[in-house]
Amino acid sequence: MKVMLPVDGSANSTRAARYLAKHWPTDAAVTIVNVDAPLRESIAGRLDPDSIGRFHADNGRSAIKAAVRVLTGAGHPVEQKLMVGDPGHEIVQLAHKGRFDLVVMGSHGRGLLKSLFLGSVVVKVLSNSRVPVLVVR
């Protein structure tokens, strides 16, 4: 089974990683994904491409650190993927193109109406993914 775990470095992402570590067999292929939102043009235009790349790489490594620690500590081998783009869109695209069997995401636990107005990544993935999504609260 191929499982994607999108993370943003929050406690909710770590909770989803703990859920996977506890409830999934260690032979499941887990890919931890972080999608960093692009910098605003007003900021990106003032930086060189190498600086922008380092910024996104540093953000991504920081965001996946806790999930990697939790899963590898429980004996799960993990792959790591750092991306830049619209998180909801990129997660849905990767889930489909990467032929994942399941996407596991942590949720902030907000109500549905509030999440829609806040543009929740979880809501975007749930609404657009053809791959099953498990939301951990």
Side-chain angles (χ1 to χ4, degrees):
M1 174 174 247
K2 283 182 70 174
V3 179
M4 180 199 303
L5 175 65
V7 298
D8 60 4
S10 68
N12 302 305
S13 293
T14 305
R15 189 176 317 116
R18 282 191 200 109
Y19 179 87
L20 270 178
K22 183 177 180 180
H23 297 287
W24 247 252
T26 56
D27 63 347
V30 179
T31 301
I32 300 172
V33 177
N34 173 261
V35 183
D36 203 23
L39 292 173
R40 291 187 196 153
E41 190 60 40
S42 61
I43 296 170
R46 298 177 189 195
L47 301 172
D48 62 278
D50 288 339
S51 295
I52 294 170
R54 281 192 305 275
F55 172 81
H56 288 301
D58 289 346
N59 280 351
R61 283 192 299 271
S62 176
I64 67 170
K65 191 166 133 179
V68 169
R69 186 176 60 247
V70 166
L71 286 164
T72 58
H76 289 266
V78 297
E79 278 190 44
Q80 302 170 31
K81 186 153 183 70
L82 306 178
M83 304 169 67
V84 177
D86 173 77
H89 176 77
E90 296 297 332
I91 291 165
V92 169
Q93 293 300 310
L94 181 60
H96 177 68
K97 289 179 183 173
R99 297 180 178 228
F100 284 89
D101 299 303
L102 181 66
V103 177
V104 178
M105 300 180 74
S107 171
H108 292 279
R110 297 181 185 114
L112 181 60
L113 187 60
K114 199 172 195 180
S115 293
L116 287 172
F117 286 115
L118 294 174
S120 170
V121 174
V122 173
V123 171
K124 287 179 185 177
V125 173
L126 282 169
S127 300
N128 297 300
S129 180
R130 290 184 263 163
V131 175
V133 179
L134 172 64
V135 179
V136 178
R137 287 181 60 176

